[in-house]
Amino acid sequence: MEIEKTNRMNALFEFYSTLLTEKQMNYMEMYYADDFSLGEIAEEYEISRQAVYDNIKRTEKILEEYEKKLHLFSDYVVRGELLDTLKNYVKETYPKDTTIAHYIEQIQEVEE
């Protein structure tokens, strides 16, 4: 469960980090990406662990709200699944058509 939450927060952070304040970005990156403890972040910024905890929880809610409204991450996941399905279909149905396969690869590169 905790790994799933960490992965989700990291993904949402990648999509929406520019919408956060600098402090929110720093705390989230340190906590989720760099695996700092609340105490380590608190020490770094000379604030209480509770202040760090509150800020992280508030920022998690903000990221979830952005996703709820904008759907950037969920749309990205769906597009990836559809591209994989299309790629497999083309591979099975049109194995000699390298042009279609090339276009699909280009779309996948744009998505990444």
Side-chain angles (χ1 to χ4, degrees), residues 21-97:
T21 66
E22 188 173 340
K23 183 167 67 170
Q24 289 170 326
M25 285 191 296
N26 291 340
Y27 290 179
M28 293 298 284
E29 188 167 15
M30 290 174 81
Y31 188 71
Y32 282 107
D34 300 335
D35 202 27
F36 278 55
S37 70
L38 296 175
E40 290 170 324
I41 299 169
E43 189 176 310
E44 177 79 20
Y45 286 93
E46 299 178 351
I47 59 173
S48 70
R49 290 178 73 241
Q50 186 65 44
V52 173
Y53 176 82
D54 291 344
N55 188 292
I56 288 172
K57 290 300 168 191
R58 197 169 34 254
T59 305
E60 289 172 354
K61 288 180 183 178
I62 289 168
L63 290 173
E64 291 291 356
E65 281 298 313
Y66 287 151
E67 176 60 15
K68 186 177 176 182
K69 292 176 183 175
L70 300 173
H71 313 283
L72 297 179
F73 175 62
S74 58
D75 289 351
Y76 170 80
V77 170
V78 170
R79 281 191 307 272
E81 291 169 356
L82 289 171
L83 279 170
D84 288 342
T85 301
L86 180 61
K87 190 174 185 178
N88 290 332
Y89 174 78
V90 168
K91 186 177 180 181
E92 292 171 10
T93 311
Y94 306 102
K96 294 180 181 178
D97 191 338

